Amino acid sequence: MFELVADVERYPEFVPLCEKLRIIRRERNGPEAETDANAEVIVAIMTVAYKLFHENFTSRVVLDRKRQEIRVTYLDGPFRFLENRWAFRELEDDVCEVGFLISYEFRSKVLGSLMGAAFDRAFRKFATAFEERADQVYGKRPIGNGGSSPRVV
């Protein structure tokens, strides 16, 4: 599941409101790799779209494989701040617990009132979007059966 979430280039295929995503920098062993010198750091521009609204924002994504964490820090765009974190914990060979936290605030109160409800709905659908993506990538596994694809709990 870590690799599925780390594959940010694929987000436009399944993440709610994500219209496109462009990587502008990728590095390993850089000074931004905070907790693990081998962590990968990506700086990306995501275009989010909802009806007539299209907005770009830039984020720094730290892929910390050692700790099984993905940390996203907002750099530029329509938010006052945006931060999200993923944490992965293997429970069994094919079962993974995924923790997801997101916190954000729009820079403009007007934009926040226009887009806030849409963003809240989209962020609530994130877990489902990633579970459905795991089903596509790894194959659907009925709960309780001895399949071989990862299952999120």
Side-chain angles (χ1 to χ4, degrees):
M1 285 304 294
F2 179 95
E3 295 304 326
L4 185 132
V5 176
D7 190 8
V8 297
E9 291 93 342
R10 298 272 198 218
Y11 283 15
E13 297 174 20
F14 69 96
V15 171
L17 302 182
C18 180
E19 183 176 79
K20 70 180 171 183
L21 188 135
R22 182 171 57 96
I23 304 293
I24 56 175
R25 188 172 82 232
R26 184 185 298 260
E27 63 184 39
R28 273 194 197 275
N29 302 323
E32 296 183 70
E34 301 148 3
T35 60
D36 179 1
N38 294 313
E40 183 176 0
V41 178
I42 298 170
V43 177
I45 300 173
M46 179 185 284
T47 302
V48 294
Y50 178 73
K51 296 185 180 181
L52 297 176
F53 171 83
H54 287 68
E55 194 70 51
N56 294 319
F57 67 94
T58 306
S59 296
R60 179 181 63 145
V61 181
V62 177
L63 305 174
D64 189 337
R65 285 177 173 81
K66 182 178 178 181
R67 291 180 180 232
Q68 289 291 287
E69 293 179 349
I70 298 174
R71 296 178 301 280
V72 181
T73 306
Y74 173 74
L75 299 175
D76 186 45
F79 298 97
R80 179 167 286 123
F81 68 88
L82 181 141
E83 180 179 7
N84 70 293
R85 295 183 183 270
W86 296 84
F88 304 85
R89 186 170 62 116
E90 186 176 332
L91 301 176
E92 299 172 25
D93 283 344
D94 63 347
V95 179
C96 178
E97 179 180 72
V98 179
F100 176 73
L101 169 74
I102 189 161
S103 179
Y104 71 95
E105 182 180 326
F106 284 99
R107 187 176 309 236
S108 157
K109 290 187 187 279
V110 173
L111 185 60
S113 65
L114 290 172
M115 290 301 303
F119 269 71
D120 284 345
R121 282 192 304 276
F123 291 145
R124 283 191 199 106
K125 293 180 182 179
F126 268 28
T128 302
F130 281 93
E131 287 176 10
E132 290 172 357
R133 180 68 177 176
D135 288 344
Q136 289 175 343
V137 171
Y138 302 118
K140 191 166 182 83
R141 176 192 162 180
I143 294 175
N145 285 349
S148 61
S149 64
R151 179 168 49 101
V152 179
V153 293

